[in-house]
Amino acid sequence: MDNKLTFLGQRKQNKLNILPENPERPVEDKPLGRFPSWLHRKLPRGGDLFKTGSLLEKSRLSTVCEEAKCPNLFECWSKKTATFLIMGKECTRACGFCDIDFSKTPKSLEADEPDRIVESVKALSLKHVVITMVARDDLSDQGASHIVKVVEALRKDAPECTIELLTSDFNGDMAALETTLNAGPDIFNHNIETVRRLSPRVRHRATYERTLLVLSHAKKAAARLGKQIFIKSGIMVGLGEDDHEVLETLKDLKEAEVDIVTIGQYLQASQKKLLVKRFVTPEQFKEYESTGLKMGIPYIFSGPFVRSSYNAESVMKAVKDNTRKGNEGR
């Protein structure tokens, strides 16, 4: 365990846990204390954890697993999978929940990044790749053209791999959104993150209504472009919302015609981030899932450790298998 933590410490040695000034961030919050039993689990064993990290280091690629301090990192890297973070490690937004570094002037895009991603995808033998991004509000197209280059490189040199994109809201630029969709990802993901009431406090610049607009527009635009793209979004719980508000958010996502929803427990990434207000029980996560399915949302993945890209290959497989069965039944 010490070696694993040391290894990650070396990968993260330049990480700054500093949140830019945000007057909406609460200062009166108090930590809840010890994690409940269901949030304790054993670290996986095996050498693939180190192999994955070494490969990413050699390829000079960033992952949201590290930059956002995902609690599933050990498990996913031990399975030789990771979520690639493109367009740098500095985000132009400073959300209260996210530990990715903030910068008003991020570094320039790297032209060879798409090729390096393809090389890593091949080396890891990935069947499903998740590409996420830092918000790049400093770019005229919000980074859409760079996303397209990544997708095109994967389609050309790793055609057997399905592709999932987890993007920003493109600052409301629907032309940038459609440029991204026209590249033809298998899944387009944009997270709503939290309930309507808490969105101004939890997120920076992004809004609840604009996220719903992006998701709804993505669904319609994909159909108009003749692309079969599944629309996905995710919610964190434990930020101060109540169960009724979670269900209201599920209703909003259903109205936006979202196909896949993930619901997971928010965990504080550093002392500078929003504090956890409650630990949701596994039973309540199951209730969210059951209620959402009854609402008509086709796929819901709900649990304490669920994240947007956690077990994304299994999610893609479930969607594809169900689609195949539906086609066979026609």
Side-chain angles (χ1 to χ4, degrees):
M1 177 176 173
D2 290 340
N3 288 337
K4 291 177 180 178
L5 295 178
T6 299
F7 173 76
L8 289 176
Q10 291 171 346
R11 288 274 294 169
K12 294 277 287 178
Q13 60 184 341
N14 295 320
K15 183 80 177 138
L16 300 177
N17 294 322
I18 300 174
L19 181 67
E21 185 176 338
N22 184 351
E24 294 180 327
R25 182 175 179 270
V27 295
E28 74 284 356
D29 291 353
K30 295 182 180 180
L32 284 180
R34 291 181 176 274
F35 283 5
S37 59
W38 60 83
L39 288 176
H40 291 267
R41 57 182 181 179
K42 295 181 180 180
L43 291 177
R45 297 179 179 180
D48 284 336
L49 170 70
F50 300 99
K51 292 178 182 177
T52 301
S54 297
L55 173 65
L56 295 169
E57 184 78 23
K58 182 179 179 180
S59 301
R60 295 183 292 110
L61 292 173
S62 301
T63 68
V64 74
C65 322
E66 294 172 281
E67 300 308 318
K69 293 183 180 175
C70 178
N72 299 315
L73 184 151
F74 290 126
E75 178 184 348
C76 293
W77 281 24
S78 293
K79 294 178 180 177
K80 295 175 67 176
T81 185
T83 297
F84 297 102
L85 179 68
I86 65 172
M87 292 189 268
K89 297 192 289 185
E90 300 167 313
C91 187
T92 53
R93 301 185 187 182
C95 297
F97 67 91
C98 183
D99 205 40
I100 292 176
D101 293 337
F102 169 81
S103 175
K104 291 182 180 179
T105 55
K107 295 180 178 65
S108 300
L109 301 180
E110 297 178 332
D112 66 339
E113 185 174 50
D115 294 329
R116 287 185 281 119
I117 287 176
V118 170
E119 291 172 2
S120 294
V121 166
K122 287 183 173 182
L124 291 169
S125 300
L126 296 181
K127 296 180 181 178
H128 181 72
V129 59
V130 183
I131 307 292
T132 190
M133 61 178 284
V134 291
R136 291 299 302 257
D137 300 307
D138 59 311
L139 300 175
S140 60
D141 69 349
Q142 315 298 316
S145 58
H146 191 76
I147 297 172
V148 170
K149 291 175 183 177
V150 172
V151 175
E152 288 178 342
L154 287 166
R155 291 297 187 210
K156 177 183 177 183
D157 296 321
E160 70 288 348
C161 192
T162 50
I163 301 171
E164 179 171 340
L165 299 178
L166 173 55
T167 78
S168 73
D169 61 7
F170 298 108
N171 211 22
D173 185 341
M174 296 303 164
L177 172 61
E178 293 202 20
T179 295
T180 301
L181 294 169
N182 199 38
D186 297 279
I187 293 178
F188 171 80
N189 188 352
H190 173 54
N191 286 332
I192 200 162
E193 307 293 7
T194 189
V195 301
R196 187 190 302 271
R197 175 176 60 87
L198 298 179
S199 194
R201 186 182 75 174
V202 172
R203 308 172 80 188
H204 176 211
R205 189 175 297 185
T207 69
Y208 188 91
E209 291 300 335
R210 189 160 69 196
T211 287
L212 291 175
L213 180 62
V214 166
L215 293 167
S216 179
H217 189 90
K219 185 71 173 183
K220 294 178 175 63
R224 187 172 67 253
L225 293 167
K227 308 285 186 181
Q228 184 183 46
I229 302 173
F230 294 97
I231 309 302
K232 183 177 179 181
S233 191
I235 313 168
M236 300 174 292
V237 291
L239 283 158
E241 74 294 321
D242 60 39
D243 293 334
H244 176 73
E245 289 177 303
V246 175
L247 299 185
E248 285 297 318
T249 301
L250 288 176
K251 288 180 183 178
D252 289 339
L253 293 175
K254 170 64 173 64
E255 290 181 7
E257 298 186 85
V258 171
D259 301 297
I260 308 165
V261 174
T262 58
I263 310 174
Q265 172 71 53
Y266 167 69
L267 296 174
Q268 186 181 0
S270 76
Q271 293 182 347
K272 299 293 184 180
K273 302 304 171 181
L274 295 170
L275 298 176
V276 178
K277 292 295 190 69
R278 65 167 177 157
F279 293 117
V280 178
T281 66
E283 292 75 20
Q284 184 58 58
F285 277 109
K286 287 295 183 185
E287 185 63 27
Y288 293 151
E289 181 177 331
S290 175
T291 303
L293 290 172
K294 289 177 182 176
M295 287 180 187
I297 297 174
Y299 306 93
I300 297 187
F301 300 86
S302 178
F305 287 104
V306 169
R307 297 294 184 271
S308 296
S309 55
Y310 180 55
N311 285 337
E313 182 180 341
S314 298
V315 173
M316 184 75 253
K317 185 178 185 303
V319 172
K320 288 174 67 177
D321 288 348
N322 194 53
T323 301
R324 190 179 301 112
K325 289 178 182 177
N327 291 335
E328 290 173 352
R330 293 176 184 174

